[in-house]
Amino acid sequence: MAWTDERVAKLRELWDKGLSASQIAKELAEGVTRNAVIGKAHRMGLASRPSPVKSDPQKKAKAPVEKKVVKPKAKAPTGKVSLLDLTERMCKWPIGHPGEPDFHFCGKPSAPTFPYCGTHCGEAYQVQQPRRDRRANRGRISATPVR
DNA sequence: CCCTGATTCGC
DNA sequence: GCGAATCAGG
């Protein structure tokens, strides 16, 4: 989509009005992303509004190294997680079977780069254990991916 | 995680 | 000139 005079005008208007780039992109629609908006705004020479990132070059000296501990707590989703609800970082371990009325997915936060949460990674990726001692796996479903 | 603008660079 | 990808943050 080309930058017609109309669209440029609207961009300038909304930008001056203080809307964020993503908001402007939504207004213009037609497959325009916020990247496109920002890029165009810059090329137009629009006053680059204070970026939240670049602002305030001289910051207050922060002697205390106060570290915010990243919350390891992850909330489990409310209710059943359907196929449509799944996002990249959700555990995709199926509960039940496709077609069944109650079929859904685990949905808990998945381990980084893994399709399942910690618990279900444990189910999915089981180290082959000595034939002698498989007691640890007794009662568990077998989900070894490659046999 | 959601979000912000800035910058780069192949097209 | 364009904008996706990336960066550097809030």
Side-chain angles (χ1 to χ4, degrees):
Chain A
M1 178 49 92
W3 283 103
T4 65
D5 290 353
E6 298 179 6
R7 295 163 65 74
V8 169
K10 189 150 192 177
L11 164 58
R12 182 177 279 112
E13 174 190 331
L14 296 176
W15 186 271
D16 289 340
K17 218 159 87 180
L19 291 184
S20 72
S22 62
Q23 286 175 316
I24 295 173
K26 235 195 298 182
E27 279 291 316
L28 292 174
E30 311 252 5
V32 176
T33 67
R34 76 182 193 93
N35 287 307
V37 169
I38 291 171
K40 182 57 181 175
H42 267 235
R43 265 171 258 126
M44 290 169 59
L46 281 182
S48 57
R49 290 168 307 165
S51 162
V53 167
K54 256 298 193 175
S55 67
D56 205 349
Q58 25 137 354
K59 251 208 163 179
K60 288 293 184 183
K62 51 184 302 187
V65 185
E66 184 185 334
K67 255 283 196 185
K68 264 192 179 180
V69 177
V70 180
K71 38 162 93 172
K73 261 303 179 197
K75 62 138 207 194
T78 59
K80 312 286 190 224
V81 175
S82 83
L83 177 62
L84 299 172
D85 302 328
L86 279 180
T87 69
E88 196 55 45
R89 293 185 163 80
M90 286 188 188
C91 177
K92 297 162 187 64
W93 190 266
I95 310 293
H97 301 90
E100 289 178 356
D102 201 40
F103 178 59
H104 60 284
F105 294 89
C106 169
K108 285 183 300 212
S110 60
T113 77
F114 285 99
Y116 309 120
C117 67
T119 299
H120 287 134
C121 274
E123 303 261 345
Y125 308 107
Q126 288 188 24
V127 176
Q128 191 66 31
Q129 294 185 340
R131 298 184 67 81
R132 282 286 293 168
D133 185 14
R134 288 195 184 170
R135 279 163 300 180
N137 274 341
R138 248 198 296 183
R140 293 193 181 160
I141 66 177
S142 174
T144 308
V146 182
R147 79 188 109 268

